[in-house]
Amino acid sequence: MQHFEAIIIGAGLTGIYQLHRLVEMGMSVTLVEGADDLGGTWYHNRYPGCRFDSESYTYGYSFSQELLDEWDWSEHFAPQPETLSYLNHVAERFDLRRHMRFGAKVESAVYNEAENQWELTLGSSEKLSCRYLLTAIGVLSAPVMPRIEGTERFKGPSFHTYHWPQEPVDLEGKRIAIIGTGATAVQLIPVVAEQAQRLVIFQRRPNWCAPLHNRQITTEEMADIRTRYDEIFEQCRRTPGGFIHMSDRRKLDEVPEDERRAFFEDLYASSGFRIWLGNFRDVLMDEAANEEFTEFVANKIRERVDDPDVAEKLIPTDHGFGTRRVPMETGYYEAYNRENVELIDLNETPIECITEQGVRTSAEDYDVDIIVYATGFDAMTGAFDRIEFVGEDGRTLREKWADGPITYLGLQSAGFPNLLVLAGPQSGSGFTNFGRGVEEAVDWTTELLDYLRQNGYTRIETTEAFEEQWQGHVQEMYDLLLLGKVKSWFTGFNSNIEGRDKMRLVAYNGGAPRYRKILAGVVENGYEGFRLS
């Protein structure tokens, strides 16, 4: 069994940077990745229209001035192929591939108490061991197929968006069904609508979507961005979400009606998450303020969709704007004005089964050539559930987290020594601009591992008492925002998964600056909450 001081699981944005930091430390480390190549989210999600909803130049790494100087982003919100190229460039530039193993899916990771080490079994039956096990397995990396009878019957191509084929899919002139209208489908639908002979969209529940307003970055703009990187990253550090958008400190009712109406129009015309995160500060906290802005967005949908009945089906009635993560769109609502696009409301005519020819609802059979399942993910914890993590006394992480994740700082769970979670549930990065959040998480974890090494420690674990304290704080942060009252994957209500019908504290909603301050305090107090031995 080959042994390493550290093993990283996952070759996405987080794992690549963590590998770089540990190689830089001179640590014996390897990275294992189940896919055939690196990229994580940006390797798997190849569906047409896939792109950032973070501004490209705020998402990329900030750790290397040389990297910042040499990489040009082509669009304000980069498409998937460009982002994957970027991550490959980073791996090549810092010579990281030689430390990576691809096609190395982790089946189990068992803690050996006697040896104080983790022992991993890969899908190939190869076994590896390490002192420290670091997970970088993603927040949205466990795709979920719908609970529909007969999915295996369909004779044509069918796939989840996460498993979009690597070879080009010919959509031209095809009859296509897309099941789901979440964030992925919102990006996919306008592109497919332009190519398909007929596109049938099956919607269970609509989302509040807002215009992305993406555009090319000119050579002059990129040169200017490069001179302002320090300013851009500092702005991200100051905001709760790690984006460049800061909320307006005024309350909605402090502003005259005509002025706030003009402000709403300005938000709707702006790019990225400004409409969500740059709004009046009480729009995401006060029901009356949220209701007013929600009605403004509803009217925008009515203006953009020609058929009034279809427009009303696309307007959510079970939650207000911004109380779930806002899908950013380009021509999404206009797609429903096309003659070749049909919207099926599953609340009126639910899907009964998948047939050999297509989709059968309670009202009609829809014969199609391709079925695309845009049915979401087992968010936050799903990727952990798909690996058998076995800690002290034979207890599995899946058992411990059955009713929701239990962690200290989102970094470790009691009973699982030397297992360090990067960008996992209840951490500061899952609810932020991911690039910014994970870079900070990796930097903090690297400093921790260096501290252990410098002081002769070989074991780190947290306690149930500090976990309980952290759960209380996470709950307090949920209570501050309206999103804490709405069913979504942010609150652990994964309605696409059986049994997920109650709140699970999966995210940390206290904001990046607060989380950063908490972590700094933990270090100042001698890594308070951790037992080092």
Side-chain angles (χ1 to χ4, degrees), residues 102 140 245 314-315 318 352 365 525:
F102 300 113
L140 297 172
H245 311 292
L314 293 169
I315 294 173
D318 61 345
E352 292 186 343
D365 277 14
N525 292 318

Side-chain angles (χ1 to χ4, degrees), residues 358-412:
V359 181
R360 176 175 297 159
T361 72
S362 60
E364 188 176 339
D365 277 14
Y366 296 88
D367 292 350
V368 295
D369 302 307
I370 299 171
I371 299 177
V372 179
Y373 296 100
T375 47
F377 299 86
D378 187 352
M380 293 288 190
T381 58
F384 291 89
D385 290 343
R386 297 182 184 196
I387 297 173
E388 188 80 351
F389 290 100
V390 183
E392 294 176 309
D393 302 322
R395 189 182 189 189
T396 68
L397 194 64
R398 189 184 300 117
E399 291 168 341
K400 181 176 180 181
W401 287 7
D403 293 324
I406 302 170
T407 77
Y408 175 53
L409 304 172
L411 292 169
Q412 199 172 45

Side-chain angles (χ1 to χ4, degrees), residues 264-334:
F264 288 171
E265 292 287 354
D266 182 52
L267 288 176
Y268 203 79
S270 63
S271 61
F273 277 146
R274 182 170 171 244
I275 192 172
W276 184 30
L277 304 175
N279 215 319
F280 295 119
R281 66 187 175 97
D282 57 342
V283 163
L284 300 181
M285 303 173 72
D286 178 77
E287 289 184 1
N290 183 266
E291 185 176 340
E292 181 171 330
F293 188 71
T294 294
E295 185 59 23
F296 169 82
V297 178
N299 285 328
K300 287 294 184 183
I301 296 171
R302 295 181 181 111
E303 291 172 9
R304 293 174 60 185
V305 179
D306 294 341
D307 187 325
D309 292 335
V310 173
E312 293 307 315
K313 289 177 181 179
L314 293 169
I315 294 173
T317 57
D318 61 345
H319 68 287
F321 182 88
T323 58
R324 292 188 183 136
R325 200 177 200 277
V326 179
M328 305 307 295
E329 50 85 15
T330 301
Y332 174 65
Y333 293 110
E334 286 72 18

